[in-house]
Amino acid sequence: MLWLHKLLLAIVSVPVKWLVKVNSIPSDLRSELGIDKDRPIVYLLRTHSVTDQLALKMSAVALGLPKPTLNIMIAGQSHSSCLFLQKPRSVFNRKTTDTSIQEDAAKLFKLHRENPDLDIQIVPVSILWGRAPDKNTSGWSDVIANQMSPSWLRKFFIVLFLGRDNFVCYSKAVSSRKMIQLKGSDEDIAHKLIRVAGTHFYRRHQNLTGPNILERHQLYNGVLGAKSVRKAIVEEARSKKLSHQQAKQQAKKYVNEIAADYRPGLIRLGERILTKIWNKIYNGIEVRHAEKVRALAQNGHEIIYVPCHRSHMDYLLLTYVIYHQGLVTPHIAAGINLNFRPVGGILRKAGAFYLRRSFAGNKLYTAVFREYLELLFNKGYSVKYFPEGGRSRTGRLLPPKTGMLAMTLQALIKGVNRPVSIVPVYIGYEHVMEVSSYLKELNGTGKKKESFLQIFSAIKKLKNYGYGFLNFGEPINLTNYLDQQRPNWRDEQDNNNDKKPQWLTPVVNNLATDVMGRINQAAAISGMAICAICLLSAKKHAMAQTELEQAIEHFLELLSDAPYSVLATIPKISGKKLLENTLKLNKFTVSEDNFGKIISLKDRNAIPLTYYRNNILHMFALPGLIAAIVFAHNGLSKQQILDMVGKLYPLLKRELFIYMSVAQAADYTESLINKMLEMGMLETDDTKVQPPAATSQSFYSAWLLNRSIQETLQRYAVVLTLLSRQEQVSRSELEKKSAQFAERLAALHGINSPEFFDKKVLGTFINALKENALIEADDNGQLHHTEQSVILKTDVINLIEPEIAQRLQQI
């Protein structure tokens, strides 16, 4: 029979090569799963299937693993390199039959006892053809949808229709050395392996495909039958003088307006279209830390993705990446502005559910939306929403909207039957297609309403957009988070679970800030962003090519050896190569004279590039502040630098969503100072830390760091100076006057940053001053300066450029 199986493999392998495209999950088996290619590997599959074995072979060859179609030599004996739990079903009989796995596994364990130095890795591998979740109702598509040990005839159709969506998913290896330490004979241990493997494959299948599709009647019953919605329907009927049936119909309309209509076939089609689009417009999509999310999924967590929002591309890119990482594609909270024909219906079938910008006291809509969200959680669907509430027009994170986070916590408090984890996600691009429209909006042009023609026009203009970056951040287990923030929260619940606890608002606010900090904690430095931060810091936005290459090298070395965080990622190539790649995006002007090339920005390019600089400005805030302090004072002790950074850090943390605590920031500041001294970006005479000599090779890079933080410090100086000149001022008046004077400074000094005089950014700084008790507010809401704010003003003015400080005297 062995020769017959080999013949079948040889015959079937030809069409399989043409029909099957393999996706291996994960792609780095050693770092994520600890699989050692130098030790014996035996694969454990669910079904003894020729096509499964061939798909595994394609994956194994790509990953440098032993071929599963060949025997493996263990202790001088030849053994099959695969174990199978079940044989395929027959065409006419739905029963499955066992294989000889118990006998084969027992032989391996016996062989191990005879050779104690052996350590055979038994690697479970789940083979999926397409990833459609199960349905509660049957149909003709079940011919290929049901993949539990299918017959050869059904497998023929599965490979034919789903061969391009094949996923080979590896799990952590089971060590034979550890297995034989269990009690019992080799046959008993083999039986335990079979039992555990059966449960593992079932859970793995659920983790990869997700819960059953939610049918429409289940949706209506689940939402409209909820206690809070029934109560809201009664109140709607009473307040608007409607019949109960009319109020219920209104609730049903809200369900239809909100709810997704997920269709896995559209996800497969979208994946193929998006693959072509990404290959056309991006040089690559770099994804990091997906193993953290896979671990959560395998441990049964409800996963809520909370990404930053740079572009409409975010909706597509994150779902695409999640799909390719072997995770269940999420239901996505989308603004109602995207629900226009035909796009709205397509997105709805891809998992989008819609919410209004404001619930505006509409209790029925609020109740329906909240119950729908809770239904998704309880059914086990992963969810994605944007905590900023909209796309960032400046490139920096926006202050978070807390509505969705509040509803998530309320659902948890009411009782979600599985652990819930929030996964922050950083998304960055070397080119954002909406940047030009963002700048028009910042200059006062109204936001254009989304339409199909607008999207079609954007697609036509797609071109080389460089690299995209997607980093998963450190997850937050919400139960553990609540335990830390409110240890007795379980005991404080009353019978009315729909009532919002008084303590919830501050906890949600803390959670929102923590989420934004964790998004920035996982930032990615791109070539465009680091070139932007250098050129925008240079006088007249121009640098010699050699100077720019050297500055990039210095900055990369600084952040490599004194990393902002272990989750942040930086390019692994030289500054010269990084600049070469970035120049291909045609964002810079390159000229040449007798002394070499000059890289510069035209005014029309300088403003858009502030967007990419702002993506990573938080990573340069502390190095820049250190440089600014040292250059301004021309030498201070290390402790004096630490003290001054400590004064300003809480304000920078609030504005730029830096994840570090004050103590962590102090330690990081000291490590930065030490590294900058080592690199020659700072110098010391044993008592004072000083700027490098002007003749030093590192002088220009240190000076650029100082310049990178200047606009932030100048904005702080404007607000603090205005505040100090008045006995009292309203918050709105302070924001207005600060924006006006900042705009004047921008015009006089050529500051090409729209956020320099943006009221939202100025408002965030004013909030930070209040939160840190640097200013006071009376009972009427009027703001007053304090002794501490006057001292801070003096400190900040000493750090900014003298010509800007002189202008502030005109206020």
Side-chain angles (χ1 to χ4, degrees):
M1 293 297 291
L2 183 60
W3 68 270
L4 185 60
H5 182 70
K6 288 184 176 180
L7 178 62
L8 190 59
L9 281 171
I11 295 172
V12 175
S13 64
V14 177
V16 163
K17 284 181 181 177
W18 291 98
L19 291 172
V20 176
K21 178 186 175 184
V22 169
N23 299 277
S24 301
I25 302 170
S27 56
D28 188 348
L29 301 183
R30 180 181 286 273
S31 63
E32 187 168 337
L33 301 179
I35 295 174
D36 187 351
K37 299 175 185 177
D38 298 326
R39 284 161 41 207
I41 293 175
V42 173
Y43 303 101
L44 174 59
L45 285 78
R46 179 171 190 149
T47 306
H48 193 171
S49 161
V50 170
T51 48
D52 282 2
Q53 212 171 347
L54 289 172
L56 175 56
K57 176 185 174 183
M58 294 169 68
S59 171
V61 169
L63 297 176
L65 296 173
K67 294 180 181 179
T69 52
L70 301 178
N71 282 7
I72 183 172
M73 296 299 294
I74 304 176
Q77 297 182 26
S78 177
H79 291 267
S80 172
S81 56
C82 288
L83 298 174
F84 305 95
L85 279 187
Q86 298 173 341
K87 293 180 180 178
R89 304 173 194 263
S90 70
V91 176
F92 304 106
N93 190 342
R94 294 184 61 84
K95 290 184 178 180
T96 58
T97 56
D98 296 331
T99 62
S100 59
I101 182 172
Q102 185 163 350
E103 179 184 344
D104 295 337
K107 287 180 181 177
L108 290 177
F109 296 138
K110 181 181 179 182
L111 192 63
H112 186 104
R113 292 185 193 279
E114 294 171 353
N115 300 270
D117 293 337
L118 273 179
D119 190 6
I120 303 166
Q121 301 172 99
I122 302 174
V123 180
V125 186
S126 301
I127 314 288
L128 273 81
W129 303 85
R131 290 180 28 212
D134 294 332
K135 298 190 296 182
N136 294 295
T137 57
S138 59
W140 69 269
S141 61
D142 291 339
V143 171
I144 60 173
N146 189 339
Q147 298 183 27
M148 298 296 185
S149 302
S151 66
W152 67 266
L153 183 58
R154 177 172 283 178
K155 198 58 172 282
F156 169 79
F157 289 106
I158 288 172
V159 174
L160 185 63
F161 290 106
L162 301 175
R164 309 302 291 177
D165 295 288
N166 174 268
F167 291 83
V168 178
C169 306
Y170 299 86
S171 299
K172 285 188 177 181
V174 178
S175 168
S176 63
R177 182 173 294 170
K178 291 183 179 179
M179 288 295 293
I180 64 167
Q181 293 173 2
L182 299 174
K183 293 181 180 179
S185 64
D186 293 338
E187 288 74 15
D188 293 335
I189 295 173
H191 182 71
K192 290 175 183 177
L193 174 67
I194 295 167
R195 189 175 68 250
V196 171
T199 303
H200 169 81
F201 282 123
Y202 174 78
R203 288 180 177 173
R204 192 80 167 116
H205 182 269
Q206 291 295 105
N207 289 337
L208 290 161
T209 61
N212 290 3
I213 291 177
L214 190 64
E215 304 293 346
R216 220 60 185 171
H217 69 276
Q218 292 177 302
L219 175 64
Y220 293 139
N221 292 340
V223 175
L224 300 181
K227 181 180 176 182
S228 62
V229 174
R230 294 202 311 269
K231 183 179 176 181
I233 288 172
V234 171
E235 190 170 336
E236 179 86 354
R238 180 184 56 78
S239 63
K240 295 187 177 178
K241 297 181 180 180
L242 303 173
S243 69
H244 184 273
Q245 189 60 32
Q246 286 175 319
K248 189 173 181 179
Q249 280 300 116
Q250 183 60 49
K252 191 173 182 179
K253 286 181 182 178
Y254 287 152
V255 173
N256 291 330
E257 176 188 316
I258 294 166
D261 186 24
Y262 183 79
R263 292 291 180 266
L266 185 66
I267 297 294
R268 289 196 301 272
L269 176 62
E271 185 272 337
R272 294 180 187 180
I273 295 172
L274 287 176
T275 296
K276 292 183 178 179
I277 292 176
W278 299 153
N279 289 338
K280 177 184 178 183
I281 67 175
Y282 292 120
N283 294 329
I285 305 294
E286 296 189 7
V287 181
R288 297 289 185 273
H289 317 311
E291 68 278 1
K292 291 178 176 289
V293 192
R294 278 195 288 269
L296 290 175
Q298 289 168 23
N299 290 327
H301 283 238
E302 168 68 30
I303 298 174
I304 300 168
Y305 300 94
V306 282
C308 59
H309 203 3
R310 314 279 193 212
S311 166
H312 280 318
M313 283 288 189
D314 300 341
Y315 291 101
L316 304 174
L317 180 62
L318 181 51
T319 298
Y320 178 87
V321 167
I322 288 169
Y323 183 81
H324 273 269
Q325 293 299 322
L327 297 160
V328 178
T329 53
H331 280 50
I332 310 159
I336 196 70
N337 58 305
L338 292 178
N339 191 21
F340 57 88
R341 294 182 179 179
V343 174
I346 294 172
L347 293 179
R348 198 184 292 275
K349 285 180 169 55
F353 61 96
Y354 295 100
L355 71 158
R356 298 178 180 182
R357 291 296 182 189
S358 171
F359 292 9
N362 188 333
K363 292 183 179 180
L364 181 57
Y365 180 87
T366 302
V368 169
F369 187 89
R370 183 181 296 156
E371 288 299 332
Y372 175 71
L373 192 63
E374 290 180 15
L375 182 65
L376 292 181
F377 293 156
N378 283 310
K379 291 291 184 181
Y381 293 98
S382 58
V383 173
K384 175 176 76 177
Y385 53 75
F386 297 97
E388 296 165 283
R391 290 167 294 158
S392 170
R393 266 62 178 172
T394 63
R396 47 171 75 207
L397 294 186
L398 301 175
K401 308 288 186 184
T402 57
M404 291 293 289
L405 286 171
M407 283 188 276
T408 301
L409 279 183
Q410 282 183 278
L412 178 66
I413 291 166
K414 283 179 68 175
V416 177
N417 54 14
R418 57 199 302 228
V420 180
S421 286
I422 282 180
V423 176
V425 185
Y426 176 91
I427 303 175
Y429 306 92
E430 288 196 298
H431 179 88
V432 173
M433 65 180 182
E434 299 102 323
V435 160
S436 59
S437 64
Y438 290 166
L439 297 177
K440 290 177 184 177
E441 290 175 35
L442 288 170
N443 289 326
T445 305
K447 179 179 179 292
K448 284 186 178 181
K449 184 178 180 181
E450 279 80 9
S451 67
F452 179 70
L453 290 177
Q454 185 182 346
I455 291 175
F456 182 73
S457 175
I459 291 173
K460 280 181 65 179
K461 295 175 183 176
L462 293 179
K463 53 184 178 180
N464 178 15
Y465 284 175
Y467 285 89
F469 304 86
L470 193 148
N471 289 349
F472 293 99
E474 191 64 37
I476 301 173
N477 183 306
L478 286 186
T479 302
N480 294 344
Y481 190 87
L482 275 179
D483 288 340
Q484 293 168 4
Q485 295 281 317
R486 193 77 179 181
N488 300 321
W489 64 274
R490 294 176 182 83
D491 303 328
E492 295 174 353
Q493 299 309 303
D494 55 28
N495 293 328
N496 186 4
N497 286 331
D498 294 319
K499 187 177 179 180
K500 183 179 176 181
Q502 291 183 348
W503 52 263
L504 187 65
T505 297
V507 170
V508 169
N509 291 339
N510 290 339
L511 175 62
T513 301
D514 197 6
V515 165
M516 305 310 285
R518 294 191 188 211
I519 290 173
N520 267 348
Q521 183 184 10
I525 289 184
S526 67
M528 181 61 68
I530 202 166
C531 287
I533 212 162
C534 291
L535 287 167
L536 289 169
S537 299
K539 289 285 188 181
K540 295 191 176 181
H541 303 153
M543 295 175 68
Q545 181 172 335
T546 53
E547 290 175 335
L548 181 53
E549 289 172 356
Q550 187 174 67
I552 293 171
E553 286 279 7
H554 284 154
F555 290 173
L556 293 180
E557 181 182 347
L558 178 63
L559 292 177
S560 293
D561 295 350
Y564 174 78
S565 87
V566 294
L567 297 178
T569 55
I570 64 173
K572 300 299 183 184
I573 56 177
S574 68
K576 183 175 183 178
K577 184 63 177 176
L578 190 63
L579 177 60
E580 180 185 322
N581 293 341
T582 307
L583 288 175
K584 294 175 183 177
L585 298 175
N586 298 320
K587 298 291 183 184
F588 311 134
T589 300
V590 182
S591 57
E592 192 168 4
D593 59 19
N594 292 336
F595 300 97
K597 290 182 179 179
I598 296 174
I599 314 296
S600 61
L601 304 175
K602 294 181 180 178
D603 286 343
R604 62 183 178 84
N605 285 341
I607 296 176
L609 279 179
T610 62
Y611 191 94
Y612 307 104
R613 175 199 64 185
N614 290 346
N615 288 179
I616 61 167
L617 188 60
H618 61 283
M619 299 178 72
F620 286 85
L622 288 177
L625 183 55
I626 292 167
I629 291 168
V630 173
F631 271 87
H633 293 276
N634 201 30
L636 291 173
S637 70
K638 183 184 287 188
Q639 189 56 52
Q640 286 175 312
I641 297 171
L642 290 170
D643 291 343
M644 195 164 289
V645 170
K647 278 186 180 181
L648 285 165
Y649 176 70
L651 306 175
L652 291 170
K653 173 182 172 69
R654 179 71 170 79
E655 178 182 339
L656 298 174
F657 294 106
I658 302 174
Y659 75 97
M660 287 174 263
S661 66
V662 172
Q664 288 172 326
D667 291 340
Y668 181 52
T669 301
E670 189 163 9
S671 70
L672 283 168
I673 293 171
N674 293 336
K675 181 59 187 176
M676 291 168 76
L677 286 168
E678 179 190 321
M679 293 175 63
M681 296 175 78
L682 297 176
E683 294 178 356
T684 181
D685 63 359
D686 295 330
T687 59
K688 289 185 178 181
V689 177
Q690 300 171 329
T695 55
S696 165
Q697 192 178 30
S698 302
F699 174 85
Y700 193 43
S701 298
W703 183 80
L704 289 174
L705 275 180
N706 160 40
R707 293 268 300 170
S708 70
I709 197 69
Q710 282 295 315
E711 288 178 13
T712 302
L713 296 174
Q714 290 160 12
R715 193 170 54 250
Y716 289 3
V718 168
V719 176
L720 291 167
T721 301
L722 279 166
L723 189 64
S724 69
R725 299 288 171 86
Q726 302 177 76
E727 287 297 322
Q728 61 181 30
V729 62
S730 69
R731 178 197 163 106
S732 60
E733 186 67 13
L734 181 58
E735 282 183 11
K736 179 182 175 182
K737 286 186 176 180
S738 297
Q740 289 172 344
F741 196 81
E743 190 168 5
R744 177 180 174 82
L745 282 181
L748 290 170
H749 294 274
I751 299 172
N752 293 312
S753 300
E755 82 276 4
F756 184 71
F757 46 85
D758 184 74
K759 282 187 179 181
K760 291 180 180 178
V761 177
L762 291 163
T764 299
F765 176 61
I766 294 169
N767 282 339
L769 290 172
K770 288 178 65 179
E771 289 169 6
N772 288 279
L774 292 168
I775 58 175
E776 296 175 348
D778 59 25
D779 294 339
N780 297 319
Q782 297 290 301
L783 303 178
H784 305 264
H785 64 262
T786 64
E787 184 180 346
Q788 290 90 340
S789 69
V790 173
I791 294 171
L792 182 65
K793 180 201 74 170
T794 303
D795 289 339
V796 172
I797 287 177
N798 287 335
L799 298 180
I800 64 176
E801 295 170 350
E803 61 268 31
I804 301 288
Q806 193 275 332
R807 293 280 186 193
L808 291 174
Q809 301 306 312
Q810 299 174 4
I811 293 179

